[in-house]
Amino acid sequence: TVDRYYCHRGGYIRDFTLDPEGFSLDEETIIQLDDVYQWTLYVTREALRDSGYLKKPELLKRCGLILGNLSFPTKSSNHLFLPLYRQALEPLIAKLIGKPDFNLEPFAPPLKVAQENIEISGLPATLTARALELGGPSLALDAACASSLYSVGLACHYLHAGKAELMLAGAVSAADPFFINMGFSIFQAYPEKGESCPLDKDSGGLFASEGAGMFLLKKLDDALRDGDQVHAVIRSVGWSNDGRGQF
């Protein structure tokens, strides 16, 4: 059926509040940023805090960031584009229901959101690097469900090539849930039966979730030399993660 979605399961973040202090960005702007920015800022700062490097600016100048980010509309970007939607849709709906004075404003009361929320693809990585004063390479990529895997793999390449001493690698998923559920239903990405088993040939599809995660990566020899706390060692990286279909 057109314009319906079929999956009522998913993962959602609730009751999140970002402490805006300590970043090299205006606090009022941070408060008005969408979740795609705030979640990225949070997990990046926590990764640096866990490593003990958060307050070592001389090391952060040699630290890069690669962020996997699905370039989908967010709740805040949708709000900023509402005037365009209203201009196109209001006359059509008014004519359809026979009410010339119909308007959509009651469905979306004004919110105070930063204009940066229009830029949903690369800017979250750029602002995060600026907020934490990272001096290494910084970029965002969209490889769909494999975005987090690509970010880790590429970060490892930067380290081995000597282009950075530290690399932050992670991903964020903060698209408008309505857009995701509708789109993935059209793609038939949700399991018709069975479960979602990422990277498994028996997976029936995927379940959409919100979230963010970040690793701080360093060459093992360098980490041991510097006495860093090593949580895990990456021995290889897989590059693909599909839903139902090719694996």
Short mmCIF file of all heavy atoms in Angstrom, two decimals, residues 89-129:
data_model
loop_
_atom_site.label_atom_id
_atom_site.label_comp_id
_atom_site.label_asym_id
_atom_site.label_seq_id
_atom_site.Cartn_x
_atom_site.Cartn_y
_atom_site.Cartn_z
N LEU A 89 1.91 23.18 -0.77
CA LEU A 89 0.81 22.29 -0.42
C LEU A 89 -0.46 23.00 0.02
O LEU A 89 -1.56 22.50 -0.22
CB LEU A 89 1.26 21.33 0.68
CG LEU A 89 2.35 20.33 0.31
CD1 LEU A 89 2.76 19.52 1.52
CD2 LEU A 89 1.86 19.41 -0.80
N GLU A 90 -0.34 24.14 0.69
CA GLU A 90 -1.54 24.80 1.23
C GLU A 90 -2.60 25.09 0.17
O GLU A 90 -3.79 24.76 0.39
CB GLU A 90 -1.15 26.09 1.97
CG GLU A 90 -0.71 25.86 3.39
CD GLU A 90 -0.42 27.15 4.13
OE1 GLU A 90 -0.34 28.22 3.48
OE2 GLU A 90 -0.28 27.10 5.35
N PRO A 91 -2.25 25.66 -0.98
CA PRO A 91 -3.30 25.92 -1.98
C PRO A 91 -3.98 24.64 -2.47
O PRO A 91 -5.19 24.63 -2.70
CB PRO A 91 -2.53 26.61 -3.12
CG PRO A 91 -1.29 27.14 -2.50
CD PRO A 91 -0.94 26.17 -1.42
N LEU A 92 -3.19 23.57 -2.60
CA LEU A 92 -3.76 22.31 -3.09
C LEU A 92 -4.72 21.71 -2.07
O LEU A 92 -5.81 21.25 -2.42
CB LEU A 92 -2.64 21.32 -3.40
CG LEU A 92 -1.62 21.76 -4.46
CD1 LEU A 92 -0.51 20.73 -4.61
CD2 LEU A 92 -2.32 21.98 -5.80
N ILE A 93 -4.31 21.73 -0.79
CA ILE A 93 -5.18 21.16 0.25
C ILE A 93 -6.43 22.01 0.43
O ILE A 93 -7.54 21.49 0.58
CB ILE A 93 -4.41 21.03 1.58
CG1 ILE A 93 -3.22 20.06 1.42
CG2 ILE A 93 -5.33 20.54 2.70
CD1 ILE A 93 -2.33 19.96 2.63
N ALA A 94 -6.25 23.34 0.39
CA ALA A 94 -7.41 24.24 0.53
C ALA A 94 -8.43 23.98 -0.56
O ALA A 94 -9.65 23.94 -0.31
CB ALA A 94 -6.93 25.70 0.50
N LYS A 95 -7.97 23.81 -1.78
CA LYS A 95 -8.88 23.52 -2.90
C LYS A 95 -9.54 22.16 -2.74
O LYS A 95 -10.74 22.00 -3.00
CB LYS A 95 -8.10 23.60 -4.21
CG LYS A 95 -8.96 23.38 -5.45
CD LYS A 95 -8.13 23.51 -6.72
CE LYS A 95 -8.99 23.28 -7.96
NZ LYS A 95 -8.18 23.40 -9.21
N LEU A 96 -8.75 21.19 -2.28
CA LEU A 96 -9.26 19.83 -2.14
C LEU A 96 -10.38 19.74 -1.12
O LEU A 96 -11.38 19.04 -1.33
CB LEU A 96 -8.11 18.88 -1.76
CG LEU A 96 -8.43 17.40 -1.64
CD1 LEU A 96 -8.77 16.82 -3.00
CD2 LEU A 96 -7.24 16.64 -1.05
N ILE A 97 -10.25 20.45 0.00
CA ILE A 97 -11.25 20.36 1.07
C ILE A 97 -12.27 21.50 1.01
O ILE A 97 -13.17 21.57 1.85
CB ILE A 97 -10.56 20.33 2.45
CG1 ILE A 97 -9.82 21.64 2.74
CG2 ILE A 97 -9.62 19.14 2.56
CD1 ILE A 97 -9.20 21.70 4.13
N GLY A 98 -12.11 22.40 0.04
CA GLY A 98 -13.08 23.48 -0.13
C GLY A 98 -13.02 24.53 0.95
O GLY A 98 -14.05 25.14 1.28
N LYS A 99 -11.82 24.81 1.51
CA LYS A 99 -11.67 25.84 2.54
C LYS A 99 -10.54 26.79 2.11
O LYS A 99 -9.37 26.51 2.35
CB LYS A 99 -11.36 25.22 3.90
CG LYS A 99 -12.51 24.41 4.47
CD LYS A 99 -12.18 23.90 5.87
CE LYS A 99 -13.35 23.15 6.48
NZ LYS A 99 -13.06 22.68 7.85
N PRO A 100 -10.88 27.91 1.47
CA PRO A 100 -9.86 28.82 0.94
C PRO A 100 -8.90 29.35 1.99
O PRO A 100 -7.77 29.71 1.67
CB PRO A 100 -10.68 29.96 0.33
CG PRO A 100 -12.03 29.36 0.09
CD PRO A 100 -12.24 28.36 1.18
N ASP A 101 -9.33 29.43 3.28
CA ASP A 101 -8.48 30.00 4.32
C ASP A 101 -7.66 28.96 5.05
O ASP A 101 -7.04 29.24 6.07
CB ASP A 101 -9.33 30.77 5.32
CG ASP A 101 -10.40 29.90 5.97
OD1 ASP A 101 -10.65 28.77 5.46
OD2 ASP A 101 -10.97 30.33 6.98
N PHE A 102 -7.62 27.72 4.55
CA PHE A 102 -6.87 26.65 5.22
C PHE A 102 -5.38 26.98 5.25
O PHE A 102 -4.81 27.46 4.28
CB PHE A 102 -7.07 25.31 4.50
CG PHE A 102 -6.21 24.20 5.04
CD1 PHE A 102 -6.57 23.51 6.17
CD2 PHE A 102 -5.02 23.86 4.40
CE1 PHE A 102 -5.77 22.49 6.67
CE2 PHE A 102 -4.21 22.84 4.89
CZ PHE A 102 -4.59 22.16 6.03
N ASN A 103 -4.73 26.72 6.40
CA ASN A 103 -3.26 26.85 6.48
C ASN A 103 -2.71 25.77 7.40
O ASN A 103 -3.40 25.23 8.26
CB ASN A 103 -2.84 28.25 6.94
CG ASN A 103 -3.13 28.49 8.41
OD1 ASN A 103 -2.37 28.06 9.27
ND2 ASN A 103 -4.23 29.19 8.70
N LEU A 104 -1.44 25.47 7.20
CA LEU A 104 -0.80 24.34 7.90
C LEU A 104 -0.09 24.76 9.19
O LEU A 104 0.44 23.91 9.89
CB LEU A 104 0.25 23.70 6.97
CG LEU A 104 -0.31 22.85 5.81
CD1 LEU A 104 0.79 22.54 4.82
CD2 LEU A 104 -0.92 21.57 6.34
N GLU A 105 -0.10 26.04 9.51
CA GLU A 105 0.69 26.50 10.65
C GLU A 105 0.36 25.78 11.96
O GLU A 105 1.26 25.46 12.73
CB GLU A 105 0.53 28.01 10.83
CG GLU A 105 1.44 28.57 11.91
CD GLU A 105 1.45 30.09 11.92
OE1 GLU A 105 0.90 30.70 10.98
OE2 GLU A 105 2.01 30.65 12.86
N PRO A 106 -0.92 25.48 12.26
CA PRO A 106 -1.20 24.78 13.53
C PRO A 106 -0.54 23.40 13.63
O PRO A 106 -0.35 22.89 14.73
CB PRO A 106 -2.73 24.66 13.52
CG PRO A 106 -3.21 25.73 12.61
CD PRO A 106 -2.16 25.84 11.55
N PHE A 107 -0.21 22.80 12.50
CA PHE A 107 0.41 21.47 12.53
C PHE A 107 1.89 21.53 12.86
O PHE A 107 2.48 20.51 13.18
CB PHE A 107 0.22 20.78 11.17
CG PHE A 107 -1.21 20.50 10.84
CD1 PHE A 107 -1.93 21.37 10.04
CD2 PHE A 107 -1.86 19.38 11.35
CE1 PHE A 107 -3.26 21.13 9.73
CE2 PHE A 107 -3.19 19.14 11.07
CZ PHE A 107 -3.89 20.00 10.25
N ALA A 108 2.51 22.69 12.75
CA ALA A 108 3.94 22.82 13.02
C ALA A 108 4.22 24.19 13.62
O ALA A 108 4.65 25.10 12.93
CB ALA A 108 4.74 22.62 11.74
N PRO A 109 3.95 24.37 14.92
CA PRO A 109 4.20 25.67 15.55
C PRO A 109 5.68 26.04 15.45
O PRO A 109 6.55 25.16 15.42
CB PRO A 109 3.78 25.43 17.01
CG PRO A 109 3.80 23.95 17.20
CD PRO A 109 3.46 23.36 15.87
N PRO A 110 5.98 27.33 15.39
CA PRO A 110 7.37 27.78 15.21
C PRO A 110 8.28 27.28 16.33
O PRO A 110 7.90 27.23 17.50
CB PRO A 110 7.26 29.31 15.24
CG PRO A 110 5.84 29.59 14.87
CD PRO A 110 5.04 28.46 15.43
N LEU A 111 9.50 26.90 15.95
CA LEU A 111 10.53 26.49 16.90
C LEU A 111 11.77 27.33 16.65
O LEU A 111 12.03 27.77 15.54
CB LEU A 111 10.87 25.01 16.74
CG LEU A 111 9.78 23.99 17.03
CD1 LEU A 111 10.29 22.58 16.69
CD2 LEU A 111 9.36 24.04 18.48
N LYS A 112 12.57 27.53 17.70
CA LYS A 112 13.82 28.26 17.55
C LYS A 112 14.93 27.26 17.31
O LYS A 112 15.38 26.57 18.24
CB LYS A 112 14.10 29.09 18.82
CG LYS A 112 15.25 30.08 18.64
CD LYS A 112 15.42 30.95 19.88
CE LYS A 112 16.53 31.98 19.66
NZ LYS A 112 16.72 32.83 20.87
N VAL A 113 15.34 27.13 16.06
CA VAL A 113 16.41 26.19 15.71
C VAL A 113 17.46 26.92 14.91
O VAL A 113 17.18 27.88 14.19
CB VAL A 113 15.87 24.99 14.91
CG1 VAL A 113 14.92 24.16 15.75
CG2 VAL A 113 15.18 25.44 13.63
N ALA A 114 18.71 26.48 15.03
CA ALA A 114 19.82 27.12 14.33
C ALA A 114 19.75 26.87 12.83
O ALA A 114 19.34 25.79 12.39
CB ALA A 114 21.14 26.60 14.89
N GLN A 115 20.18 27.86 12.06
CA GLN A 115 20.19 27.71 10.61
C GLN A 115 21.15 26.62 10.14
O GLN A 115 20.99 26.07 9.05
CB GLN A 115 20.56 29.05 9.96
CG GLN A 115 19.50 30.13 10.08
CD GLN A 115 18.20 29.74 9.38
OE1 GLN A 115 18.21 29.36 8.22
NE2 GLN A 115 17.09 29.85 10.10
N GLU A 116 22.14 26.30 10.96
CA GLU A 116 23.08 25.22 10.61
C GLU A 116 22.36 23.89 10.39
O GLU A 116 22.90 23.00 9.72
CB GLU A 116 24.14 25.06 11.70
CG GLU A 116 25.21 26.13 11.74
CD GLU A 116 24.78 27.36 12.52
OE1 GLU A 116 23.59 27.46 12.88
OE2 GLU A 116 25.63 28.22 12.79
N ASN A 117 21.15 23.76 10.93
CA ASN A 117 20.43 22.49 10.82
C ASN A 117 19.98 22.18 9.39
O ASN A 117 19.57 21.06 9.10
CB ASN A 117 19.22 22.50 11.75
CG ASN A 117 19.62 22.47 13.21
OD1 ASN A 117 20.49 21.70 13.60
ND2 ASN A 117 19.01 23.32 14.02
N ILE A 118 20.06 23.17 8.50
CA ILE A 118 19.75 22.91 7.10
C ILE A 118 20.80 21.97 6.49
O ILE A 118 20.49 21.15 5.63
CB ILE A 118 19.68 24.23 6.31
CG1 ILE A 118 18.41 25.00 6.69
CG2 ILE A 118 19.68 23.98 4.80
CD1 ILE A 118 18.27 26.33 6.00
N GLU A 119 22.06 22.12 6.95
CA GLU A 119 23.17 21.35 6.36
C GLU A 119 23.33 20.05 7.14
O GLU A 119 23.99 20.00 8.17
CB GLU A 119 24.44 22.18 6.39
CG GLU A 119 24.30 23.49 5.61
CD GLU A 119 25.59 24.28 5.57
OE1 GLU A 119 26.57 23.78 5.00
OE2 GLU A 119 25.61 25.40 6.11
N ILE A 120 22.73 18.98 6.63
CA ILE A 120 22.61 17.74 7.39
C ILE A 120 23.66 16.70 7.03
O ILE A 120 23.74 15.66 7.69
CB ILE A 120 21.21 17.12 7.17
CG1 ILE A 120 20.96 16.90 5.67
CG2 ILE A 120 20.13 17.99 7.79
CD1 ILE A 120 19.62 16.26 5.36
N SER A 121 24.48 16.94 6.02
CA SER A 121 25.41 15.91 5.56
C SER A 121 26.81 16.05 6.16
O SER A 121 27.19 15.30 7.04
CB SER A 121 25.49 15.92 4.03
OG SER A 121 24.23 15.63 3.46
N GLY A 122 27.56 17.03 5.68
CA GLY A 122 28.95 17.16 6.10
C GLY A 122 29.19 18.05 7.29
O GLY A 122 30.19 17.89 8.00
N LEU A 123 28.29 19.01 7.54
CA LEU A 123 28.55 20.00 8.59
C LEU A 123 28.66 19.41 10.00
O LEU A 123 29.43 19.92 10.81
CB LEU A 123 27.49 21.10 8.55
CG LEU A 123 27.82 22.36 9.36
CD1 LEU A 123 29.12 22.99 8.91
CD2 LEU A 123 26.68 23.37 9.27
N PRO A 124 27.91 18.35 10.36
CA PRO A 124 28.09 17.79 11.70
C PRO A 124 29.54 17.39 12.00
O PRO A 124 30.03 17.60 13.11
CB PRO A 124 27.16 16.57 11.70
CG PRO A 124 26.06 16.97 10.77
CD PRO A 124 26.75 17.73 9.67
N ALA A 125 30.24 16.85 11.01
CA ALA A 125 31.65 16.50 11.22
C ALA A 125 32.51 17.75 11.36
O ALA A 125 33.39 17.83 12.22
CB ALA A 125 32.15 15.63 10.06
N THR A 126 32.24 18.74 10.50
CA THR A 126 33.03 19.97 10.52
C THR A 126 32.86 20.71 11.84
O THR A 126 33.84 21.16 12.46
CB THR A 126 32.60 20.89 9.36
OG1 THR A 126 32.82 20.20 8.13
CG2 THR A 126 33.40 22.18 9.37
N LEU A 127 31.60 20.85 12.30
CA LEU A 127 31.36 21.57 13.55
C LEU A 127 31.92 20.82 14.75
O LEU A 127 32.41 21.43 15.71
CB LEU A 127 29.87 21.83 13.74
CG LEU A 127 29.25 22.98 12.97
CD1 LEU A 127 27.82 23.22 13.44
CD2 LEU A 127 30.06 24.25 13.12
N THR A 128 31.86 19.49 14.72
CA THR A 128 32.41 18.70 15.83
C THR A 128 33.92 18.89 15.92
O THR A 128 34.48 19.07 17.01
CB THR A 128 32.06 17.22 15.66
OG1 THR A 128 30.63 17.07 15.68
CG2 THR A 128 32.66 16.39 16.78
N ALA A 129 34.60 18.85 14.76
CA ALA A 129 36.04 19.07 14.75
C ALA A 129 36.38 20.46 15.26
O ALA A 129 37.34 20.65 16.02
CB ALA A 129 36.58 18.86 13.34
#
